[in-house]
Amino acid sequence: MRRPLLFVLAAVTATGTMLPALAQAAEPERERVPVAISISPGTDHQRYGIGQLVTLRFSEVVKDRKAAEDAITVSSDKPLTRGAWGWIDDTTAIYRPRKFWPGNADIRFDIDLAGVVLARTDNQEFVGNDKSDRTFVLRTDRSFVLEIKDSKHRLYVRRDGRVVKSFPVSLGKAGWRTRSGIKILTGEKYARLRMTGYDPGADERWDVIAPYSIRLTPTGEFIHGAPWANNRMGLWNGSHGCTNMFVADAKWLFKRVVAGDPVVTKGTGRPMEVTNGTPGSYWNYSWKQWQKMSGTYGGTAVRAASLPPATIDAGP
């Protein structure tokens, strides 16, 4: 065991008597451990929808979250709403603005973490490595938001704030309600997707080909064409959680959506889980809840639950 060095301070009185020495422990020497970071989404040459979130992952546990956040500056060529980092575990921070990003914008993350102390133990000091300083630019595409209203059985497309399309839809029936809340597209979509499943309560099985399928959640929600459901489009719900559309309407969407586009569903009575489709599902935290997950704003971080691997099995 390493013994701490001691600096001994002594004083002499006028009579020459030595006063008791005062000992002060020196700061122990610590091994410096470099911490690497990675940033997603991938390449900064791609343009994303206005709901895309930025994730920062550290190779070691971060204890001083405020120091990490203070070393990063977020700016843009367009006005931004207030934003905050949210720590979903000890090594992962996600940046989320209070409202969606502006469309056709460059959001710049200037990261100056090299040499920043992120954690200390008795024997080690964890600091950002020499490659931690970098600039990451998230480039947004046009503002393209899908709004689904259960009470109207319709999907509205808002481009740059203006409704440009309105489509009839059919959502999830009782026992299979579609989730209400914010879902962010990952870019996963299929021109033809085979969907299989079983409803034990109704003793109902399905095995269908769903054209122009756009994944909404890892748990199996899609927007897709449903030619078997034409009689209920815009009238009543009968799906197993997916958003059913006429095939031609689904194809129109399929050709235009990009990763990061938001889908906002309202009025189904079933809330969207905050961990169902990370990182986009984190939009379903209230702004107050999200701030509490930040090292800058204080509060206790909320640890996200692990998700099972994504599956193609889904309810049509």
Side-chain angles (χ1 to χ4, degrees), residues 70 74 118 129 174 312:
D70 286 345
V74 182
L118 301 172
N129 68 11
I312 299 300

Side-chain angles (χ1 to χ4, degrees), residues 80-91:
L80 297 177
T81 62
R82 189 178 181 184
W85 291 97
W87 292 81
I88 61 168
D89 57 39
D90 291 335
T91 60

Side-chain angles (χ1 to χ4, degrees), residues 183-231:
K183 303 153 194 176
I184 303 299
L185 300 185
T186 64
E188 183 184 350
K189 55 186 182 179
Y190 307 89
R192 285 168 52 86
L193 179 63
R194 182 182 180 186
M195 293 183 174
T196 62
Y198 173 59
D199 178 359
D203 193 23
E204 177 185 8
R205 297 183 182 275
W206 58 89
D207 186 345
V208 298
I209 300 297
Y212 304 111
S213 294
I214 304 165
R215 185 184 282 278
L216 296 179
T217 71
T219 51
E221 276 193 29
F222 285 81
I223 295 175
H224 62 78
W228 59 85
N230 286 348
N231 65 320

